[in-house]
C-alpha cells in the first residue's frame, strides 16, 4: 500500500486477523477505505492482509497487541509512514469472560477497556477533524447489567476519565476480595463493555472541539469464535453494524448503535 494518497480515507482496525475485525476490514475496503489491519501475532495478521488484498494496494499490516504498551508505542511511531492521517479507528479487539475465573476476568478488563483506551490515546494525534472512533461494545455492556448504585455512577454525564478508571479499579478490587456479586457487579465482560461505553461518552465530549466523533456499536450476537456456532447473526451482518457505526451522520457522537440505529445504553 502506498502511504501518499492524501484523498483516500484510512481506517485502522484492532484484532483484525479473524472474526468481526477481519470482516470489518473487508467491508471498509469495499467502501473505498485504505485499511491498516492489525493483529497481535504477525503470522496471522500478515496472512489475513494477503488474503484481503493480495496485490497490496488497499491494505497494510502492522503488529498490535492492545495490552502491550511497547506494541502500542511502536504502532504510533510507525503510523506516519503508513498513512498521511488516520480517519477512522475501530477498537474491535476483545476477549470474553463470563465465568468466575479471576485471572481471566482481570485479563478481560485489561484488554477490552484499558487496551482500547490506550490505543485510542496513542493514535489520537493522527486523527484529524472529521475523524471517527468506533468502540466495538456489546448489548452485554448495557447499564442495566449493573446494580443500581453503580448504574448511576457510570451514567453520570459529568463522569471524567480519572473517575471512570477509579470505578473500573474498584471492580478489580471487588474481584480480589470476592465481593463482586454483593456490590452489584456483573461479569468481567459486561463491566469491560459498560466501561467502554462510558469512555465513548467522555471522549465524545472531550473531542467535540476537535471535530472527532466517538460512538459505540453492538454487532449483535455473531457466529465468530467468541459468539459460537449457535449465534443468531452471520459475520458479515455483524460487521455491517460496525461499519454503519463508522459511516454515521456527522452530528452523531457519544451514542450506542446497532445496525446504524441508536439503542439505549
Ligand atoms: P473473536 O474471538 O473471533 O476475535 C477476537 C479478535 O480480537 C481476534 O483477532 C484476537 O486475536 C483479537 N485480540 C484479542 N486480544 C487481543 C489483544 N490483546 N491485542 C490484539 N488483538 C487481540 O471475536 P469477535 O470477532 O466475535 O469479537 C470482536 C469484537 O466484537 C470484540 O470486541 C467482542 O467483544 C465484540 N462482540 C462480539 C460479539 C459476538 O457475538 N461475536 C457480540 C458483541 C460484541 P487472536 O487471533 O490473536 O486471538
Amino acid at each position: 500500500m502506498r502511504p501518499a494518497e492524501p484523498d483516500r480515507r484510512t481506517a485502522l482496525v484492532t484484532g483484525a486477523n479473524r472474526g468481526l475485525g477481519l470482516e470489518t476490514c473487508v467491508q471498509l475496503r469495499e467502501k473505498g477505505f485504505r485499511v491498516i489491519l492489525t493483529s497481535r501475532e504477525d503470522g496471522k495478521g500478515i496472512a489475513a492482509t494477503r488474503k484481503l488484498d493480495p496485490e497490496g494496494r488497499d491494505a497494510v499490516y502492522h503488529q498490535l497487541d492492545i495490552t502491550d504498551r511497547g506494541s502500542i508505542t511502536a504502532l504510533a511511531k510507525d503510523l506516519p509512514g503508513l498513512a498521511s492521517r488516520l480517519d477512522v479507528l475501530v477498537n474491535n479487539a476483545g476477549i470474553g469472560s463470563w465465568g468466575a475465573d479471576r485471572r481471566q476476568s482481570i485479563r478481560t478488563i485489561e484488554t477490552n477497556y484499558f487496551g482500547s483506551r490506550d490505543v485510542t490515546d496513542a493514535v489520537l494525534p493522527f486523527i484529524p477533524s472529521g475523524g471517527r472512533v468506533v468502540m466495538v461494545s456489546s448489548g452485554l455492556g448495557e447499564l442495566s447489567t449493573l446494580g443500581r448504585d453503580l448504574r448511576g455512577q457510570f451514567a453520570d454525564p459529568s463522569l471524567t476519565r480519572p473517575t471512570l478508571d477509579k470505578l473500573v479499579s474498584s471492580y478489580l478490587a471487588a474481584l480480589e476480595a470476592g465481593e463482586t456479586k454483593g456490590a452489584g457487579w456483573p461479569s468481567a465482560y459486561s463491566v469491560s463493555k459498560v466501561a467502554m461505553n462510558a469512555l465513548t461518552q467522555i471522549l465524545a465530549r472531550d473531542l467535540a472541539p476537535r471535530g472527532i466523533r466517538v460512538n459505540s456499536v453492538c454487532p449483535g450476537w455473531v457466529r465468530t469464535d467468541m459468539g459460537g456456532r449457535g449465534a443468531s447473526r452471520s459475520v458479515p451482518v455483524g460487521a455491517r453494524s460496525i461499519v454503519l457505526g463508522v459511516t454515521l451522520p456527522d452530528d452523531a457522537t457519544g451514542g450506542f448503535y446497532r445496525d446504524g440505529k441508536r439503542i439505549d445504553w
Side-chain angles (χ1 to χ4, degrees):
M1 185 172 78
R2 294 175 296 273
E5 289 180 78
D7 293 335
R8 221 164 146 207
R9 290 170 303 164
T10 300
L12 187 150
V13 183
T14 66
N17 54 285
R18 63 184 164 103
L20 285 164
L22 177 56
E23 178 62 21
T24 298
C25 290
V26 170
Q27 294 186 19
L28 286 173
R29 183 179 176 228
E30 284 167 3
K31 288 200 170 294
F33 280 88
R34 302 162 72 231
V35 174
I36 303 174
L37 185 155
T38 68
S39 163
R40 60 180 161 177
E41 277 186 38
D42 282 337
K44 291 182 192 171
I46 291 166
T49 309
R50 286 208 183 115
K51 204 169 163 203
L52 171 71
D53 179 23
E55 292 172 10
R57 274 205 293 259
D58 307 318
V60 67
Y61 167 73
H62 199 284
Q63 194 274 343
L64 178 63
D65 180 333
I66 69 166
T67 59
D68 178 343
R69 291 266 178 180
S71 173
I72 295 173
T73 305
L75 170 76
K77 188 165 156 277
D78 292 345
L79 258 184
L82 300 174
S84 53
R85 61 176 198 274
L86 190 61
D87 301 280
V88 173
L89 166 66
V90 180
N91 280 306
N92 165 79
I95 57 173
S97 168
W98 295 268
D101 185 290
R102 202 174 56 85
R103 277 185 57 195
Q104 191 58 22
S105 296
I106 294 169
R107 189 88 191 130
T108 298
I109 298 292
E110 282 172 349
T111 306
N112 300 0
Y113 173 63
F114 288 114
S116 300
R117 182 200 67 176
D118 292 347
V119 171
T120 305
D121 286 346
V123 306
L124 263 178
F126 303 96
I127 303 183
S129 175
R132 282 140 193 260
V133 177
V134 174
M135 302 285 188
V136 182
S137 183
S138 165
L140 294 174
E142 282 176 15
L143 285 167
S144 60
T145 60
L146 299 169
R148 190 180 293 272
D149 283 357
L150 289 168
R151 212 177 298 165
Q153 294 180 62
F154 276 96
D156 181 350
S158 60
L159 187 69
T160 61
R161 285 274 295 259
T163 313
L164 173 58
D165 287 352
K166 267 191 213 151
L167 270 171
V168 176
S169 297
S170 70
Y171 163 72
L172 294 173
L175 192 67
E176 194 68 45
E179 290 169 356
T180 50
K181 287 267 155 54
W185 293 106
S187 70
Y189 184 76
S190 279
V191 174
S192 74
K193 297 298 187 179
V194 167
M196 237 182 160
N197 286 356
L199 182 63
T200 292
Q201 296 213 322
I202 294 169
L203 287 172
R205 193 181 64 214
D206 292 353
L207 296 173
R210 282 180 53 187
I212 298 172
R213 283 94 181 172
V214 188
N215 290 290
S216 288
V217 295
C218 169
W221 185 27
V222 185
R223 291 187 291 277
T224 59
D225 293 338
M226 183 188 290
R229 286 187 189 170
S232 54
R233 290 186 158 197
S234 68
V235 175
V237 169
R240 184 171 172 272
S241 187
I242 298 174
V243 172
L244 283 168
V246 170
T247 57
L248 286 168
D250 280 348
D251 59 352
T253 193
F256 188 24
Y257 291 83
R258 185 184 294 123
D259 300 329
K261 295 189 185 74
R262 194 152 180 165
I263 55 174
D264 284 341
W265 172 34

